[in-house]
Amino acid sequence: MDTPIASTPAPSNCGSHCCGAAEPPPTPTPPARAGAVGFHIPSMDCAVEEGEIRRALAPIAGIEGLRFDLAQRTLSLAAAPPVLEAALAAIRNMGFDPQPLAGAAAAPTPHGHHGHAGEGLPRLLASLLCALAAEALTFIPAAAGPGSQILQLAEMGLAAAAIALAGFDTYKKGFYALRAGRLNINALMAVAVTGAFLIGQWPEAAMVMALYAIAELIEARAVDRARNAIKSLLAMAPEDAEVRQADGSWARQLTASVAVGARVRIRPGERIPLDGVILTGTSAIDQAPVTGESLPVDKGPGDEVYAGTINQAAALEFRVTAAASDSTLARIIHAVEEAQASRAPTQRFVDRFAAIYTPAVFALALAVALLTPWLMGYGWLQALYKALVLLVIACPCALVISTPVTLVSGLAAAARRGILIKGGVYLEQARLLKVVALDKTGTVTQGQSVLVEFAPVAAGADRAQLARLALALASRSDHPVSLAIARGLAAECAQPAAVHDFAAAAGRGVQGAVDGLPLVLANHRWIEERGQCSAALEAGLALHERAGRTVAMLADAGGVLAICAVADTIKPSSRQAVAELKALGITPVMLTGDNLTTAQVIAGQAGITELRADLLPEHKLAAIRELQQRFGPTAMVGDGINDAPALAQSDIGFAMGAAGTHTAMEAADVVVMNDELGRLPETVRLSRRTRGVLLQNIALALGIKTAFLLAALFGSATMWMAVFADMGASLLVVFNGLRLLRGK
């Protein structure tokens, strides 16, 4: 799922830079290639800054590859040494500080916030104390003579100290932004605070800068919760594993160094360090971190286990099937991070709106400063002060940050439930679905045939003995029907009897001698060929066939002894899931390559009224197109290679991840890791909830901005109020978006 020129936009701390955030990055440069050099840029964490860096690097010839990872705040550059130095110089001229990594892939997980990592909370608190002290001096009664001058100097000195403590980074980045002709919050804050200081509003200028910096810190910490919601899953995988050595001994080593094919041992209660296949032992595995399943799953030899899941009951040994960097858990994290790069429709709208809003308000502030003294009779200082207030209001921070934080929180909430959504666009558009097309096998049903009935034909026959004979023949064959019979009868028989002269008859069944008795385990055709059908038997077989079952019969030379009915049974959750889809106003339709009779039985059990059977892959593709024309937005749910064309054609493709093929998972937009159909209505509900939070955030951001904009123009809004409006609204929408991380 690697995308070229990957940019992984984490939810940005727009409090520091998003006033220019609406500008989309320019045409991407080629992706970083092998040999690229990695750099950590602490203050780069949103698409605006990515766009600024891209524009700065665009004129530099010789850059062979470029890759941004905003979640990690890293940039990988592939270029010759002279070109690399020129690129780094251009980045530094933008006000960024690229720090070399040990390797391009060695991106550290950032902590803290982006714009004030150097100051830290103690420094900002010192700034706030200085600002409060400067404000307190304004309440001291004015005195004449030298005392008044000393008081003013103290007030101005404390204010300057507060601004210096909190605003160095803001001034630095604001200077670079103004030099480049770009309006961002740093530029606006630098101009506004400087202007307030120059017109004598010292305490207010100091308090504005201190409050802005502290609010930014709080906002950044809150945004990091959304950014790290998925990465926290990675911490669930242990850092080391107990690995069998060449001499047969066991030793612990870092999971990153464990090779594929190694044998690993885990004890009860331990987390599984790597993906693998169980070799020895049987245990219950808590798979909630990967699949979202609420109950542990029993697993034994041959079953897959995933890194980060918990071994609950007994010791296990397994063979490693994927490196630590390619585990299912790591791929989930990587896919969700890449999903953040896709801009949802609401986010694109907000970005376009913000691109107009900021320069418009800036022009309005300039007009207020220059024209209101002539048109409205304001004093020049009063007009200038109102213009400075408008500069603070001019940043659409809350509006721009409202969408990425909400969408990333929704993506993280889905991943925790075992729903891997490959982009915010699919999370937002799932609410629009009108129809869901469901493959039958492996989606609505278990995808594995099971023995649903074993019945002796003759009344009073020894069932246990007949089961023993049928098991003896079935256990020697690898045909799916025989395997289902063998699994079903194994619980009734301690050990199958020995079989002599065993042979398989293609398209008919198997035969052999058990306890010296010649027997066959045959299908309907072979029994007819043997002349052993009767009217009563035909009637019984017809009932099974109408129920969508496959029948095999145990027979000897005298006739049929027992009937074995095999079927692919419906998943326990399918009927409830179909009912929930209908309650959401979504029409379920079954598309299957199976025969019509079987499809009708399964559809009836699941509560699906519309179905199409005997479909080849191209027929499923055509069916999706027809459903899109007839209903509108259509989802396809499948797990096989034959579903891939339909998955790609649908508006949103859902792949059943646990049993699904690699092709289906790549073609799908959403992967359900635990194969439960109930995750579909859950995704739709999450999409609708996400949409609701998005609209709430946009309404809050625009409403608060509009109110304070009017207050600044026609009332008595102060810079304090402007900062509270700007940063308060930003914090409000961030915490509102984070609500999606809670609950189901």
Side-chain angles (χ1 to χ4, degrees):
M1 288 179 274
D2 221 7
T3 55
I5 209 65
S7 161
T8 312
S12 59
N13 175 12
C14 291
S16 70
H17 43 62
C18 71
C19 283
E23 293 185 62
T27 304
T29 8
R33 62 178 190 178
V37 182
F39 298 90
H40 181 226
I41 305 178
S43 58
M44 179 192 74
D45 67 353
C46 98
V48 182
E49 292 161 331
E50 176 190 333
E52 291 178 353
I53 293 174
R54 286 185 186 277
R55 280 183 285 271
L57 298 180
I60 301 175
I63 295 178
E64 299 172 358
L66 185 66
R67 180 184 176 89
F68 289 85
D69 185 346
L70 297 182
Q72 300 281 3
R73 300 189 183 111
T74 62
L75 165 65
S76 296
L77 275 167
V83 177
L84 187 61
E85 286 302 319
L88 293 177
I91 294 172
R92 292 189 182 99
N93 285 337
M94 298 292 296
F96 298 102
D97 181 24
Q99 303 165 2
L101 298 173
T109 300
H111 297 282
H113 70 300
H114 75 284
H116 302 274
E119 291 104 357
L121 187 58
R123 189 171 183 179
L124 296 183
L125 290 176
S127 171
L128 181 61
L129 289 174
C130 289
L132 288 171
E135 188 70 34
L137 291 179
T138 63
F139 294 97
I140 297 177
S148 175
Q149 294 178 358
I150 293 173
L151 197 64
Q152 288 182 355
L153 287 173
E155 187 179 318
M156 185 171 63
L158 286 169
I163 293 171
L165 286 169
F168 176 77
D169 188 69
T170 300
Y171 271 105
K172 177 184 174 184
K173 295 178 74 174
F175 168 75
Y176 284 115
L178 289 171
R179 191 177 69 175
R182 302 190 185 283
L183 295 176
N184 61 22
I185 185 59
N186 296 296
L188 296 178
M189 285 298 298
V191 171
V193 171
T194 302
F197 194 88
L198 292 177
I199 65 175
Q201 300 289 337
W202 305 319
E204 188 161 1
M207 189 64 72
V208 164
M209 185 61 80
L211 289 176
Y212 166 73
I214 292 173
E216 228 194 350
L217 173 63
I218 297 171
E219 179 188 319
R221 296 281 172 86
V223 169
D224 276 344
R225 281 189 58 198
R227 176 185 292 120
N228 296 324
I230 293 298
K231 286 187 176 65
S232 63
L233 293 176
L234 195 57
M236 295 181 179
E239 294 183 354
D240 58 18
E242 192 174 11
V243 183
R244 187 171 182 176
Q245 307 300 305
D247 60 2
S249 63
W250 295 86
R252 288 206 166 267
Q253 63 186 80
L254 294 176
T255 54
S257 65
V258 177
V260 174
R263 190 180 185 107
V264 173
R265 180 170 66 185
I266 50 170
R267 295 179 173 82
E270 290 184 338
R271 287 189 180 271
I272 296 172
L274 296 153
D275 285 4
V277 174
I278 296 175
L279 299 174
T280 62
T282 301
S283 182
I285 307 295
D286 179 2
Q287 298 191 140
V290 173
T291 66
E293 292 168 293
S294 57
L295 297 176
V297 179
D298 291 330
K299 296 206 172 188
D303 290 332
E304 289 184 319
V305 291
Y306 306 117
T309 57
I310 304 169
N311 175 31
Q312 293 192 331
L316 296 175
E317 292 182 17
F318 67 90
R319 175 176 54 82
V320 176
T321 57
S325 60
D326 195 38
S327 69
T328 301
L329 190 60
R331 283 188 282 114
I332 289 174
I333 295 165
H334 177 64
V336 175
E337 286 177 344
E338 288 199 339
Q340 297 170 27
S342 64
R343 301 177 90 72
T346 301
Q347 189 169 354
R348 291 195 293 269
F349 162 76
V350 165
D351 287 348
R352 289 194 298 268
F353 177 83
I356 301 170
Y357 172 85
T358 300
V361 178
F362 187 84
L364 180 62
L366 189 62
V368 166
L370 297 177
L371 301 179
T372 54
W374 303 97
L375 299 177
M376 303 180 68
Y378 290 161
W380 285 103
L381 288 181
Q382 183 186 11
L384 182 58
Y385 183 80
K386 284 184 175 290
L388 294 175
V389 173
L390 285 173
L391 286 184
V392 178
I393 297 175
C395 178
C397 300
L399 182 62
V400 173
I401 201 174
S402 64
T403 48
V405 169
T406 302
L407 291 172
V408 172
S409 296
L411 292 171
R416 288 176 172 179
R417 296 287 299 161
I419 306 168
L420 180 55
I421 303 175
K422 296 183 182 179
V425 61
Y426 306 117
L427 173 61
E428 188 172 345
Q429 290 183 343
R431 67 186 176 85
L432 303 174
L433 290 176
K434 300 299 182 184
V435 61
V436 171
L438 304 166
D439 177 48
K440 178 183 75 70
T441 306
T443 301
V444 178
T445 68
Q446 301 282 7
Q448 185 180 57
S449 296
V450 296
L451 181 66
V452 294
E453 184 175 339
F454 178 78
V457 172
D462 186 346
R463 174 188 167 87
Q465 175 61 14
L466 292 177
R468 177 174 170 272
L469 298 175
L471 176 61
L473 290 176
S475 60
R476 292 289 300 274
S477 172
D478 59 1
H479 189 278
V481 173
S482 294
L483 292 174
I485 294 171
R487 285 192 301 268
L489 295 178
E492 299 186 31
C493 308
Q495 188 172 355
V499 180
H500 300 284
D501 302 325
F502 178 83
R508 289 170 173 77
V510 295
Q511 61 185 352
V514 184
D515 296 339
L517 178 66
L519 297 170
V520 296
L521 190 59
N523 62 15
H524 191 177
R525 177 195 303 174
W526 200 4
I527 293 298
E528 283 185 338
E529 291 174 356
R530 288 166 59 93
Q532 294 179 318
C533 270
S534 64
L537 184 62
E538 289 285 0
L541 294 179
L543 291 175
H544 285 297
E545 289 170 357
R546 281 198 295 270
R549 298 170 177 175
T550 299
V551 177
M553 288 162 277
L554 179 68
D556 61 10
V560 176
L561 304 174
I563 294 176
C564 308
V566 171
D568 182 9
T569 57
I570 188 173
K571 291 179 181 177
S573 63
S574 292
R575 186 171 186 85
Q576 177 65 25
V578 168
E580 290 180 17
L581 287 172
K582 290 180 178 179
L584 291 169
I586 298 173
T587 302
V589 178
M590 180 183 289
L591 304 180
T592 179
D594 211 338
N595 64 78
L596 180 61
T597 300
T598 302
Q600 288 174 332
V601 171
I602 297 299
Q605 293 174 353
I608 299 172
T609 55
E610 184 170 345
L611 64 97
R612 302 180 191 181
D614 297 307
L615 300 181
L616 295 174
E618 57 269 27
H619 299 148
K620 288 187 177 183
L621 177 62
I624 291 294
R625 288 172 176 161
E626 188 270 327
L627 290 171
Q628 288 172 321
Q629 293 176 354
R630 185 170 141 214
F631 289 96
T634 300
M636 172 66 193
V637 189
D639 69 336
I641 293 175
N642 62 328
D643 298 320
L647 287 169
Q649 171 63 34
S650 64
D651 295 278
I652 301 180
F654 289 79
M656 295 289 111
T661 65
H662 179 76
T663 304
M665 292 176 68
E666 288 298 316
D669 307 306
V670 181
V671 178
V672 179
M673 297 304 298
N674 69 348
D675 285 356
E676 288 297 325
L677 204 56
R679 294 296 191 252
L680 268 72
E682 194 170 323
T683 302
V684 175
R685 287 193 295 267
L686 177 62
S687 174
R688 294 180 180 182
R689 187 180 172 208
T690 300
R691 176 67 171 180
V693 173
L694 280 172
L695 293 178
Q696 291 169 17
N697 281 347
I698 292 171
L700 284 169
L702 289 178
I704 292 173
K705 286 286 183 182
T706 301
F708 279 90
L709 191 66
L710 294 175
L713 288 173
F714 305 109
S716 56
T718 66
M719 288 187 69
W720 283 44
M721 293 170 62
V723 168
F724 276 119
D726 181 68
M727 302 310 297
S730 296
L731 292 173
L732 196 60
V733 299
V734 166
F735 287 117
N736 191 41
L738 290 175
R739 288 192 302 116
L740 291 173
L741 291 174
R742 302 197 305 269
K744 183 173 178 180

